[in-house]
Amino acid sequence: MAVLPKKDVVIIGYGAAGGPISVELSKAGYSVVALERGEHRTLADFAPKAFDTLRWVTRREMVPTIEEMPLTFRSDLNEKATPVPYIMANTVGGASVHWSGQSWRYYEEDFRVKSTIEELYSSEQLAYLEEDGANIQDWPITYDDLEPYYEKTEYHVGVGGWPGNIQGEIRPVDPEEGNPFEAPRQRDFPFRPLRDNATDITFREGALNLGLNPFHVPTAITTEAYTNPDGVERAACSYCPFCTSHGCWNGSKSDTRVSLLPTAEATGNFELRSNSHVLRINHENGRAVSVDYIDLITGEQHTQPGEMFYLGAYSFQNVRLLLYSGITGGGQVGKYFINRSGPSVHAIFDDRYLNGYAGPAVQRQGLDDYNGENNVDEKLQMSLDDFFVRGAFIGSPSQRNPLQTYGARPPEVPSWGVAYKEYFTENLNRYIGLQLLQEPLPYETSYIDLDPNYTDKFGVPAARVQRQAKQNEIRMSRYIYQKGVEILEAAGAARVWGSDTPRPSATMTHDLGGLRMGSDPSMSATNRYGQLWEVPNILVGGGALAPTMSGHNPTETIWTLSYWTSAAVLEGKLDLEDSQAFS
Amino acid sequence: MGEMDRQRRAVSAVDRRMFVKVSAGSMAAVALRSAYTMDALAQETSAEAGYQFFTAHEAETIDALAEQIWPTTETSPGGSDAGVVVYIDRALGGAYQRYQPIYQAGIQWLDDATNEQFGDTFVGLAPEQQFELMDAVFNADATPAASPAATPEPQVDGVPVAATPEDTAEIAPSDGKVQVAGGEGPHIASLKAFLDLVRVHTMEGLFSDPVYGGNRDFAGWRAVGYPGPYIVYGAEEQQSFEPLNQPLQSIADL
Ligand SMILES: Cc1cc2nc3c(=O)[nH]c(=O)nc-3n(C[C@H](O)[C@H](O)[C@H](O)COP(=O)(O)OP(=O)(O)OC[C@H]3O[C@@H](n4cnc5c(N)ncnc54)[C@H](O)[C@@H]3O)c2cc1C
Ligand code: SF4
């Protein structure tokens, strides 16, 4: 086992979170190494010859096997957890390589959910949350703290959109396509989002018929040739439909590899080691000193010493690595895990073709009328049995090629035989399925720990996930299901179906919490900069930091938090010797 | 892992130089790497040598199942003419090797069941009898017995091999594994899980690119109105409410 030369910064996992900090600290002269267990795939790997849904979606070529990344799940704490598939890519750039690119700022109130609901609702209305063991805390930071870093993400990573709110002015540009509920931004997006397709136009019609406020979602896809402030050049999206769960052939879908890596490498201070699987973090006297990792090509094990360590290996792996390394944060590491489960709504149209295969998944209209507390008036009228807090974004995805869509059928159609064939051949291109992005709550009984029964091939215990859907999720699902049905009916759908019941699972691609930030070390794992209370030279990246979720996808916030933490390091706001001594 | 990754490492060193200028002109990088992809595909689909995995009887059985699952209709060919069995055979010989035991056992369970009910193997039955049997199995209210003792789990380093993504997601949503009924004869739940696996693989054989051996003459894509991979979509096509009627193409044509 070789001990390698010490680096100032060791980044563990080079996905979304690892990107910004690799740029910011290497630019500032720190020596930075990123250890990434995945391969170094480049544009050539995603070239049109690889427009192959079987490879990337069905067979999940970029996703590790269960032996490589074991994950187990149970809802009932008395049962044995069973192994479940991993779905996040392990590759240079992480899951940001095969993500969809739906890219949001969180709302102001997303950072203060506890205060918001306590202000709006009575203790009688909220009583069921305590019964269910909900543990909701405000973030120790605000939207205003992050606003400059959101802007940095949008300009450097590359996010396009219609502004909904510039410095308080609602829908300031023409056409008025922005999200009117958006938190105020100081500056417009660097470019516009994708265009509307037939599905979007249809969804929009339905929403407008109901008096709602549809908008085209912001997307981390360069819709025109774009050069970011560091000089990284990007090509315009071709609207090829091999986008979500595939890598982009053209470098148009923003990810850490195409947007940020070139800048980090150009500094000469950054080294990327792919195929490098980190096994454990070694620590002495309350400080991390090195990590042990395996070169997955040679099988050799190395020790990489460092001054500062950044956890960028995704929520499950970040928690697992800490626990396996004996860092428990006084029981806080792994707690308050949050992920989504929710209803589904599908429809077919008989008056039109939608040709949903002819565009990427993230080309979508959506609406936030039922997200967060935007529907507070309606909630105040609800009976105690129907009442819930928070809500969901509702949107209209595409990329409905047959290999990804063959399972979508109404309950009266069998899964095989003539009836199925007739249904599917007539309706593939008349079909739409909604995205219903519910905001679930953190609970005492939802957490990640080490599985006592399963290990990976190196003998490291699997991450075990425990997660439940409780009254809030069940009531919200019934409500959001109904809203989805109404929108599609208002759009003229001939047949609408779905499920109004949430089914919790281990991983939903939005897996947050587990290392939440807070102000009180007895109730959180890190301080406001993502610095572990227990080991001050370990900084946490990624969604694990989130005390609460949001009805929006998390990754723009993940990038933004990485900028936020980097700035705290550079401005001396945190002390690597003492997590309590921050300013 | 191994050789392929070594090559990848060498190639990524070359590609790194191209990073900063990522543009539509990245076709040079495409040419550089397409050799790898196409070799792998060519190997997987060299059909000339007959079946890679199936015996003749197994192939006939799967062919008949695929035809039941996606039958020939007046408007389009069925799973048999679409070459689904070739797709599944190539997959079992390659990427899906872990399913080989399930296929071998499953076909035996199926024949045991039809022998008991109709006195012949599955392929010996009339199509109506095949349908009847399959319909009964698919509609059976049966999930595999949950007793771990009854369901030996093949393990690699403590992780059940059977619980791969496809297994847990698609074979048997109830408990993640096909029941291997030790000495007790075919178990209806196991058979149901097996037929559902064949159903899923039939869909793959219909709707994956023809380079994988199925979707012959684009039979699957043509039936549902999908043209295959296109690199560019413009506003006019995307905003149309009519069928796009594009010529069919494969990644081999790109
Ligand atoms: C299909 C799909 C679609 C999505 N769409 C959206 C979307 O539209 N909008 C959105 O906001 N989010 C989306 N997401 C979620 C998004 O991808 C994640 O939020 C984001 O990538 C998480 O960032 P991260 O840095 O925490 O982890 P990742 O990006 O997953 O990166 C973690 C990296 O760490 C590496 N790693 C793990 N363990 C180790 C180890 N032991 N040693 C070394 N390296 C290790 C992994 O290989 C990986 O590369 C989507 C995800 C998927 C899968
Ligand atoms: S739709 Fe655009 S961003 Fe997505 S893969 Fe195709 S070219 Fe890339």
Side-chain angles (χ1 to χ4, degrees), chain A residues 39 45 49 52 357 363, chain B residues 8 22 212 231 238 246 254:
Chain A
E39 296 176 28
D45 287 283
K49 287 285 180 203
D52 187 345
Y357 67 81
Q363 206 174 2
Chain B
R8 283 186 187 284
V22 172
Y212 290 98
I231 301 174
Q238 287 203 317
Q246 298 153 281
L254 293 180

Side-chain angles (χ1 to χ4, degrees), chain A residues 37 39-45 47-55 58-61 64-68 70 80 82-86 195-199 201-202 205 231-236 238-242 249-252 257-258 261-263 265-266 272-276 295-298 351-355 357-360 363 400-403 406-407 409 415-418 420-422 424-426 428-429 453-458, chain B residues 1-2 4-6 8-9 11-12 15-16 19-27 29-30 32-34 36-38 41 44 68-73 75-78 87 91 95-96 130-131 134-135 138 153 155-161 163-166 168-170 175 177 196 199-201 203-205 207-209 211-212 221 223-246 251-254:
Chain A
R37 73 175 307 287
E39 296 176 28
H40 194 154
R41 291 184 178 80
T42 62
L43 294 192
D45 287 283
K49 287 285 180 203
F51 279 14
D52 187 345
T53 301
L54 189 76
R55 267 178 79 187
T58 312
R59 297 186 178 175
R60 300 178 226 210
E61 202 174 297
T65 65
I66 203 151
E67 294 86 32
E68 292 166 330
K80 182 177 172 239
T82 45
V84 294
Y86 207 66
R195 69 171 83 96
D196 283 348
N197 62 25
T199 302
I201 295 168
T202 303
E205 267 171 34
V232 179
E233 291 179 25
R234 310 271 306 280
S238 69
Y239 293 80
C240 84
F242 296 86
W249 73 285
N250 200 29
S252 308
R257 199 188 66 81
V258 300
L261 175 62
T263 307
E265 295 209 308
L272 170 62
R273 287 184 215 144
S274 52
N275 299 296
S276 299
D295 181 324
L296 294 172
I297 292 176
T298 63
D351 63 340
R352 64 183 77 192
Y353 284 80
L354 298 166
N355 304 317
Y357 67 81
Q363 206 174 2
R400 298 189 294 276
N401 62 59
L403 194 53
Y406 69 76
R409 60 191 163 82
S415 64
W416 62 286
V418 173
Y420 171 72
K421 188 186 179 201
E422 284 180 347
F424 195 53
T425 51
E426 277 165 29
L428 168 68
N429 293 336
N453 299 309
Y454 296 96
T455 65
D456 67 13
K457 55 181 160 193
F458 305 116
Chain B
M1 290 289 172
M4 193 176 84
D5 267 286
R6 253 179 272 281
R8 283 186 187 284
R9 237 180 206 189
V11 171
S12 65
D15 189 62
R16 207 163 289 156
F19 274 171
V20 177
K21 206 166 162 102
V22 172
S23 70
S26 60
M27 295 308 288
V30 173
L32 189 69
R33 294 303 311 283
S34 61
Y36 153 69
T37 316
M38 291 323 289
L41 291 180
E44 201 166 349
Q68 287 290 344
I69 290 165
W70 188 258
T72 303
T73 51
T75 46
S76 56
Y87 165 81
Y96 290 173
Q130 292 178 341
F131 177 88
M134 288 173 70
D135 200 42
F138 269 118
E153 283 175 305
Q155 302 224 333
V156 172
D157 298 316
V159 176
V161 178
T164 55
E166 293 77 10
T168 40
E170 282 142 9
D175 75 347
K177 49 201 170 278
D196 209 46
R199 180 185 68 82
V200 166
H201 290 168
M203 296 299 143
E204 293 178 14
F207 302 129
S208 59
D209 199 283
V211 298
Y212 290 98
W221 288 352
V224 298
Y226 175 67
Y230 274 70
I231 301 174
V232 183
Y233 277 99
E236 204 177 316
E237 293 153 307
Q238 287 203 317
Q239 294 170 352
S240 166
F241 291 108
E242 298 300 325
L244 297 183
N245 296 323
Q246 298 153 281
I251 48 179
D253 304 317
L254 293 180

Side-chain angles (χ1 to χ4, degrees), chain A residues 13 15-17 36-37 69 90-91 94-95 98 100-102 276 278 312-313 553 555:
Chain A
E36 165 54 52
R37 73 175 307 287
M69 268 303 174
N90 282 192
T91 190
H98 71 155
S100 304
Q102 188 158 280
S276 299
V278 176
N553 319 49
T555 310

Side-chain angles (χ1 to χ4, degrees), chain B:
Chain B
M1 290 289 172
E3 193 49 39
M4 193 176 84
D5 267 286
R6 253 179 272 281
Q7 285 172 13
R8 283 186 187 284
R9 237 180 206 189
V11 171
S12 65
V14 175
D15 189 62
R16 207 163 289 156
R17 278 182 247 131
M18 304 196 233
F19 274 171
V20 177
K21 206 166 162 102
V22 172
S23 70
S26 60
M27 295 308 288
V30 173
L32 189 69
R33 294 303 311 283
S34 61
Y36 153 69
T37 316
M38 291 323 289
D39 282 359
L41 291 180
Q43 249 176 15
E44 201 166 349
T45 56
S46 62
E48 72 282 351
Y51 292 107
Q52 287 179 1
F53 170 70
F54 286 137
T55 64
H57 175 71
E58 288 168 342
E60 278 177 49
T61 308
I62 298 302
D63 191 57
L65 285 171
E67 182 63 20
Q68 287 290 344
I69 290 165
W70 188 258
T72 303
T73 51
E74 270 172 26
T75 46
S76 56
S80 179
D81 283 342
V84 166
V85 66
V86 178
Y87 165 81
I88 297 181
D89 177 68
R90 298 298 178 268
L92 291 173
Y96 290 173
Q97 280 179 23
R98 65 185 178 283
Y99 292 122
Q100 288 181 0
I102 298 172
Y103 267 82
Q104 281 166 329
I107 291 168
Q108 191 60 54
W109 298 332
L110 186 64
D111 283 343
D112 289 349
T114 56
N115 266 314
E116 196 172 301
Q117 197 176 336
F118 299 104
D120 205 343
T121 59
F122 185 77
V123 291
L125 306 186
E128 297 73 32
Q129 290 170 317
Q130 292 178 341
F131 177 88
E132 194 183 319
L133 188 277
M134 288 173 70
D135 200 42
V137 173
F138 269 118
N139 288 321
D141 186 13
T143 43
S147 156
T151 56
E153 283 175 305
Q155 302 224 333
V156 172
D157 298 316
V159 176
V161 178
T164 55
E166 293 77 10
D167 290 318
T168 40
E170 282 142 9
I171 290 191
S174 53
D175 75 347
K177 49 201 170 278
V178 168
Q179 168 132 355
V180 181
E184 291 167 29
H187 189 295
I188 186 86
S190 310
L191 188 51
K192 184 175 174 179
F194 169 65
L195 289 186
D196 209 46
L197 181 70
V198 177
R199 180 185 68 82
V200 166
H201 290 168
T202 297
M203 296 299 143
E204 293 178 14
L206 290 167
F207 302 129
S208 59
D209 199 283
V211 298
Y212 290 98
N215 193 10
R216 186 187 293 148
D217 298 328
F218 301 114
W221 288 352
R222 198 190 307 276
V224 298
Y226 175 67
Y230 274 70
I231 301 174
V232 183
Y233 277 99
E236 204 177 316
E237 293 153 307
Q238 287 203 317
Q239 294 170 352
S240 166
F241 291 108
E242 298 300 325
L244 297 183
N245 296 323
Q246 298 153 281
L248 283 126
Q249 60 184 26
S250 149
I251 48 179
D253 304 317
L254 293 180

